[in-house]
């Protein structure tokens, strides 16, 4: 199939039509098709971003003639992935006047531009923990196959093989709402600067909520956190301070099938105040790039959410065993009436998400001993 001619709408329709639950699904072929569709989506976005930059340069007077004919008023396109739609949507968010064609497009569609949404998603993927888990964007509820019993190949005198058992991780679509209040001065910002501000502010709000859900989500109208899933698979580390022996004990408790790709998750005060103090006389902590620490060769995620009910907790396990799905495109709306007293506007982002571990054994959880 030639993916290079597909529009963004056709790509999204095909992605939505892929059935991961089909019994005869060729998962390798499905993965290849998804990768090809995602590549086409990224190509469309890149083209739209280049075109948007061209339009902005024209508007600012940096260039006097547009490079492409599509920028002519008579040939403008207002699909969610187009530069024209992005500009109209951002102008609408800023409360600036729209021409008739722009107003019609926003009224008819109203969704967040593909460029802006993908910038938010890409910012989310910069989050260390979110980049490690299995983060997907399938529409609605999804069912992910998981081998609960996966037998090794065995030598036999007959052709009979032991059967594997396939379970499923079912992910719903729970609503996550985050708001930010922006001073009225933002109305005077350049469109590009406002987009940067909006993307940064909304992605920071959403990523904080999603990361907390991965760790401590209750599972009731929200994702099921690792702490809930591995509540019974726990141990303790030394009350005064975590020791090297404690850390090795934690690593030893994780089954070997999850060791490849495993990571540490712990509060910053435990890592810097205890683990690093022990490391002064050892060589088991390494600093890769910037603040990218590795403990016994495994990446470290610092998150104070790991102080649960005032008790410090250390998680060790394989983040890829945690599946999180964003079940709906992010929606962004603005309300200026609620900020009347403070002369500000409130921007609200809504997304649907769910997540859970595919196996409790994928993580171990150790808390500080009480004595």
């Amino acid at each position: 199939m030639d993916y290079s001619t597909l529009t963004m709408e056709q790509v999204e329709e095909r992605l939505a039509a892929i059935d991961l639950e089909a019994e005869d699904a060729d998962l390798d072929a499905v993965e290849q098709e998804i990768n090809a569709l995602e590549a086409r989506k990224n190509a469309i976005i890149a083209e739209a971003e280049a075109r948007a930059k061209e339009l902005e340069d024209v508007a600012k007077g940096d260039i006097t003639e547009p490079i492409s004919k599509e920028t002519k008023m008579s040939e403008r396109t207002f699909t969610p992935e187009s530069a024209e739609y992005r500009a109209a949507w951002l102008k609408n968010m800023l409360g600036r006047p729209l021409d008739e064609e722009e107003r019609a497009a926003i009224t008819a569609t109203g969704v967040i531009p593909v460029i802006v949404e993908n910038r938010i998603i890409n910012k989310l993927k910069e989050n260390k923990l979110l980049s490690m888990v299995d983060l997907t964007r399938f529409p609605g509820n999804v069912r992910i196959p998981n081998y609960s019993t996966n037998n090794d190949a065995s030598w036999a005198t007959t052709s009979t093989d032991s059967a594997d058992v396939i379970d499923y991780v079912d992910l719903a679509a729970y609503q996550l709402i985050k708001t930010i209040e922006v001073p009225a001065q933002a109305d005077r910002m350049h469109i590009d600067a406002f987009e940067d501000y909006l993307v940064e502010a909304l992605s920071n709000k959403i990523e904080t909520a999603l990361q907390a859900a991965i760790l401590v989500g209750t599972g009731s109208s929200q994702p099921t956190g690792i702490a809930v899933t591995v509540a019974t698979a726990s141990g303790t580390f030394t009350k005064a301070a975590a020791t090297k022996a404690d850390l090795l004990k934690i690593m030893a408790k994780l089954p070997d099938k999850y060791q490849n790709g495993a990571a540490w998750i712990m509060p910053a005060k435990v890592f810097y105040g205890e683990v690093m103090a022990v490391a002064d006389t050892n060589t088991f902590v390494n600093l890769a790039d910037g603040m990218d620490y590795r403990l016994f060769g495994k990446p470290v995620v610092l998150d104070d959410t790991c102080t649960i009910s005032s008790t410090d907790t250390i998680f060790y396990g394989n983040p890829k065993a945690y599946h999180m799905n964003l079940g709906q495109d992010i929606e962004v709306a603005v309300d200026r009436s609620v900020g009347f007293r403070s002369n500000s506007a409130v921007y609200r982002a809504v997304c649907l998400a769910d997540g859970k571990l595919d196996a409790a054994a994928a993580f171990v959880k150790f808390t500080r001993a009480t004595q």
Side-chain angles (χ1 to χ4, degrees):
M1 180 176 182
D2 183 10
Y3 296 98
S4 64
T5 60
L6 295 182
T7 65
M8 182 63 77
E9 183 179 2
Q10 290 170 327
V11 170
E12 296 290 358
E13 286 178 356
R14 180 56 198 151
L15 283 171
I18 294 175
D19 186 4
L20 293 174
E21 301 175 29
E23 294 184 3
D24 59 346
D26 183 340
L27 295 182
D28 289 336
V30 168
E31 182 179 5
Q32 290 178 7
E33 181 172 14
I34 290 175
N35 289 339
L37 290 168
E38 291 291 346
R40 174 55 184 160
K41 180 190 290 188
N42 291 335
I44 293 173
I45 292 169
E47 292 169 5
E49 287 177 339
R51 195 163 151 214
K53 178 65 167 59
E54 176 189 318
L55 288 172
E56 290 297 324
D57 289 343
V58 172
K60 291 185 292 185
D62 293 343
I63 60 176
T64 57
E65 291 293 334
I67 299 169
S68 58
K69 294 181 179 180
E70 287 109 351
T71 57
K72 294 180 180 179
M73 290 293 287
S74 61
E75 298 180 7
R76 293 188 301 173
T77 57
F78 286 93
T79 55
E81 67 270 16
S82 72
E84 292 89 349
Y85 180 83
R86 164 193 171 268
W89 186 85
L90 289 169
K91 285 167 62 178
N92 186 59
M93 287 288 110
L94 284 166
R96 294 178 182 171
L98 306 176
D99 63 37
E100 185 176 346
E101 196 173 6
E102 289 174 329
R103 192 178 305 108
I106 295 300
T107 301
T109 307
V111 300
I112 186 172
V114 171
I115 297 171
V116 179
E117 181 180 25
N118 277 281
R119 287 193 62 192
I120 293 175
I121 297 298
N122 289 336
K123 289 291 292 184
L124 294 181
K125 290 181 179 179
E126 291 176 8
N127 175 282
K128 193 165 186 177
L129 183 55
L130 288 174
S131 69
M132 291 179 174
V133 303
D134 179 30
L135 182 63
T136 55
R137 295 171 63 187
F138 296 119
N141 298 353
V142 297
R143 167 169 281 194
I144 300 172
N146 173 51
Y147 285 92
S148 59
T149 302
N150 191 3
N151 296 297
D152 294 331
S154 58
W155 300 102
T157 57
T158 67
S159 60
T160 302
D161 182 26
S162 54
D164 295 332
V165 177
I166 301 178
D167 285 337
Y168 296 92
V169 177
D170 290 309
L171 300 180
Y174 298 124
Q175 185 171 257
L176 172 65
I177 299 177
K178 283 295 173 181
T179 59
I180 57 171
E181 189 165 344
V182 180
Q185 287 83 350
D187 290 353
R188 295 190 288 273
M189 293 175 69
H190 189 279
I191 282 181
D192 283 349
F194 174 71
E195 181 186 36
D196 291 342
Y197 180 90
L198 194 63
V199 167
E200 187 73 25
L202 291 178
S203 59
N204 285 344
K205 289 276 190 177
I206 294 172
E207 81 171 68
T208 299
L210 292 180
Q211 177 159 326
I214 291 173
L215 294 175
V216 296
T218 64
S220 177
S221 298
Q222 61 180 275
T224 303
I226 295 171
V228 174
T229 308
V230 300
T232 58
S234 60
T236 60
F237 59 90
T238 305
K239 178 181 180 181
T243 66
K244 182 178 181 180
D246 287 329
L247 299 173
L248 291 172
K249 178 176 66 174
I250 293 170
M251 292 186 76
K253 190 163 184 179
L254 185 72
D256 66 334
K257 65 182 289 187
Y258 297 110
Q259 291 283 354
N260 186 19
W264 298 87
I265 311 173
M266 66 183 75
K269 66 176 183 178
V270 173
F271 181 73
Y272 290 118
E274 301 175 32
V275 175
M276 288 292 284
V278 180
D280 284 345
T281 55
N282 293 276
T283 58
F284 55 84
V285 174
N286 304 106
L287 181 61
D289 299 318
M291 299 296 286
D292 186 16
Y293 287 100
R294 301 183 81 83
L295 176 57
F296 294 111
K298 306 297 185 180
V300 179
V301 176
L302 303 180
D303 192 325
D304 290 341
T305 306
C306 291
T307 301
I308 304 170
S309 300
S310 301
T311 302
D312 294 327
T313 304
I314 297 175
F315 294 101
Y316 179 68
N318 196 317
K320 279 299 178 187
Y322 191 94
H323 306 279
M324 172 165 278
N325 184 59
L326 302 181
Q328 175 184 291
D329 291 341
I330 296 171
E331 295 179 358
V332 180
V334 60
D335 187 349
R336 289 180 171 76
S337 63
V338 295
F340 177 77
R341 289 181 179 274
S342 57
N343 191 29
S344 60
V346 173
Y347 294 86
R348 183 191 68 199
V350 179
C351 68
L352 300 179
D354 191 16
K356 62 183 63 170
L357 272 177
D358 61 29
F363 266 88
V364 294
K365 167 190 170 188
F366 277 64
T367 57
R368 189 180 301 282
T370 57
Q371 58 183 9

